[in-house]
Amino acid sequence: GAGVSQSPSNKVTEKGKDVELRCDPISGHTALYWYRQSLGQGLEFLIYFQGNSAPDKSGLPSDRFSAERTGGSVSTLTIQRTQQEDSAVYLCASSFASGSYNEQFFGPGTRLTVL
Amino acid sequence: GNSVTQMEGPVTLSEEAFLTINCTYTATGYPSLFWYVQYPGEGLQLLLKATKADDKGSNKGFEATYRKETTSFHLEKGSVQVSDSAVYFCALNVNNFNKFYFGSGTKLNVKP
């Protein structure tokens, strides 16, 4: 079966523009996670969805960041008024259910470059 | 707070050498520990995990033991291969909540 897919794979944008990053999780996976990986840094947790709801938004770095998930499937991460420090690889992962006993399957990521 | 610290890379080894990548953690609750691997051009994938103290996770010849007394989860392999060249991430989950904490990754280069 298909794995987690993300689009676009690369995105170059100008400072101040808005961007949307998309994640298609594995079919049937109820939990979905967004992470950010900056150069030389580990994965930084951004947000977690269980179904369509986001019980944990604690990792979103500012109010310029938002995410939604519709139909318990596709998720979109939106960054408004992008800044250069937003440049990173944005990773999406899904799992059958939430919690540490369920393996997360990661997508290939979207590399965002803000000029 | 909750965090993971792993050794900085890159680590360069010859084929068949012994590998250790150190990982230590701090946790405010009950931890589960993971190692993920990212091969060149691929997404992260789970390598092994341990969900309680003294458990040993193992997969593909890699092992890691959850040591509560030293708050460590070091990754080891007795004989590395060129195909093991990848970036390895140590990760932590606390109290089976849904937030995972990742280390910064350690790049391993194995030379023939």
Side-chain angles (χ1 to χ4, degrees), chain B residues 56-76:
Chain B
K56 177 186 286 187
S58 61
N59 187 22
K60 299 182 180 180
F62 290 88
E63 293 183 339
T65 301
Y66 177 164
R67 302 282 188 199
K68 185 177 181 181
E69 62 276 14
T70 54
T71 62
S72 65
F73 192 56
H74 304 322
L75 182 69
E76 297 182 337

Side-chain angles (χ1 to χ4, degrees), chain B residues 8 17 26 43 51 53 72 81 95 106:
Chain B
E8 291 191 19
T26 60
T51 57
S72 65
Q81 305 300 311
N95 294 340
T106 302

Side-chain angles (χ1 to χ4, degrees), chain A residues 9-49:
Chain A
S9 55
N10 280 285
K11 176 71 176 179
V12 180
T13 190
E14 293 179 348
K15 178 181 173 181
K17 301 282 190 182
D18 298 351
V19 295
E20 284 189 355
L21 312 180
R22 176 188 169 105
C23 173
D24 280 272
I26 293 173
S27 178
H29 280 192
T30 62
L32 186 147
Y33 306 79
W34 282 99
Y35 295 89
R36 178 169 70 174
Q37 185 178 19
S38 302
L39 187 64
Q41 304 296 314
L43 275 69
E44 174 189 4
F45 170 85
L46 297 179
I47 189 170
Y48 152 74
F49 286 91

Side-chain angles (χ1 to χ4, degrees), chain A residues 1-2 18 21 24-25 30-31 47 50 54 56 58 69 72 84 86 91-92 98 110-111 113:
Chain A
D18 298 351
L21 312 180
D24 280 272
T30 62
I47 189 170
Q50 178 60 44
D56 190 345
S58 63
R69 188 179 186 194
Q84 289 184 331
D86 300 333
L91 294 170
C92 174
S98 59
T110 294
R111 182 176 297 277
T113 303

